[in-house]
Amino acid sequence: DGGITQSPKYLFRKEGQNVTLSCEQNLNHDAMYWYRQDPGQGLRLIYYSQIVNDFQKGDIAEGYSVSREKKESFPLTVTSAQKNPTAFYLCASSFTGYTGELFFGEGSRLTVL
Amino acid sequence: KQEVTQIPAALSVPEGENLVLNCSFTDSAIYNLQWFRQDPGKGLTSLLLIQSSQREQTSGRLNASLDKSSGRSTLYIAASQPGDSATYLCAVEYGNKLVFGAGTILRVKS
């Protein structure tokens, strides 16, 4: 079955630690995205990548980093510089750019202790 | 500023009722509009995508309409079922970005 796999589903972090969220897709999509979802708010874009070895900052990139070494993988690192990291993180992909259907993973919930 | 607003924020209806969810956007220069469903603690599932040149799209009991001139889209759900209970989000594409509304939480009571 084709789809997007995010792991871990739940993650706890102590203050000052970096954590990495995994996102893998087998849909052969060129574009991949990371969103953050907070209660009562719309999804906000953290980073996106249109092609391997290239990525751009979204609206709330500060305190986050990404890499795109393979077409299938787009990991997100939440660094200690992110002041309020507790949130639900969603990875998505599309064939190319935004023009077309967006497919989402099941999400990863990060809690800072 | 490009903003997307969804009203109401929450809606509770009895099973079998037809209902309408609303999405409004401030900038009418859109590429397309998508409606998504999100179950608690889960990712988003695409329901319908309407291109800017289209007026509506239908899938089963769902019908989404688009009126660019007034900056509005509606999602019509016919004969609602308890399994329709979820959060429904709309997202508007503006070429280089997708702007999401905060969603409408729908509860269908049996």
Side-chain angles (χ1 to χ4, degrees):
Chain A
D1 276 333
I4 301 175
T5 302
Q6 289 187 238
S7 63
K9 187 168 178 63
Y10 300 97
L11 186 61
F12 298 89
R13 189 195 92 173
K14 294 181 180 179
E15 286 193 17
Q17 285 183 334
N18 293 352
V19 293
T20 296
L21 308 180
S22 169
C23 178
E24 303 278 334
Q25 56 99 357
N26 60 4
L27 299 168
N28 199 33
H29 286 172
D30 286 318
M32 297 186 73
Y33 315 85
W34 274 105
Y35 288 92
R36 170 179 171 140
Q37 186 176 33
D38 294 284
Q41 297 189 36
L43 275 66
R44 292 182 290 167
L45 182 64
I46 305 172
Y47 269 98
Y48 66 101
S49 168
Q50 305 273 27
I51 196 169
V52 174
N53 292 324
D54 188 46
F55 49 83
Q56 286 79 41
K57 293 181 179 180
D59 299 319
I60 55 166
E62 185 176 352
Y64 300 97
S65 66
V66 294
S67 63
R68 185 84 187 276
E69 297 177 0
K70 299 187 301 181
K71 186 176 184 178
E72 301 79 17
S73 179
F74 192 41
L76 173 74
T77 296
V78 184
T79 75
S80 56
Q82 169 51 235
K83 300 305 180 187
N84 184 23
T86 294
F88 191 52
Y89 291 88
L90 288 158
C91 179
S93 70
S94 63
F95 274 111
T96 176
Y98 279 115
T99 47
E101 193 172 1
L102 206 60
F103 294 81
F104 281 84
E106 290 287 277
S108 293
R109 184 166 299 281
L110 172 62
T111 303
V112 174
L113 303 174
Chain B
K1 184 180 179 183
Q2 295 160 335
E3 295 181 344
V4 177
T5 304
Q6 292 188 245
I7 295 174
L11 180 64
S12 182
V13 301
E15 181 178 5
E17 196 164 290
N18 302 327
L19 59 99
V20 174
L21 306 180
N22 297 293
C23 173
S24 61
F25 43 93
T26 55
D27 184 348
S28 62
I30 73 171
Y31 277 60
N32 64 49
L33 184 146
Q34 291 187 57
W35 281 95
F36 294 90
R37 170 185 172 137
Q38 184 177 30
D39 293 299
K42 301 289 188 180
L44 280 65
T45 300
S46 180
L47 298 173
L48 291 164
L49 184 150
I50 311 177
Q51 300 288 354
S52 63
S53 58
Q54 298 174 318
R55 296 282 295 183
E56 65 178 335
Q57 281 284 354
T58 298
S59 176
R61 293 184 294 108
L62 305 180
N63 175 275
S65 67
L66 174 64
D67 184 343
K68 286 200 317 179
S69 61
S70 66
R72 294 180 61 186
S73 175
T74 60
L75 179 66
Y76 175 84
I77 302 177
S80 58
Q81 303 170 359
D84 294 329
S85 298
T87 298
Y88 291 82
L89 298 97
C90 70
V92 179
E93 181 187 341
Y94 288 106
N96 65 345
K97 67 183 299 184
L98 201 60
V99 181
F100 282 83
T104 294
I105 302 171
L106 172 66
R107 180 186 171 209
V108 181
K109 298 173 290 185
S110 58

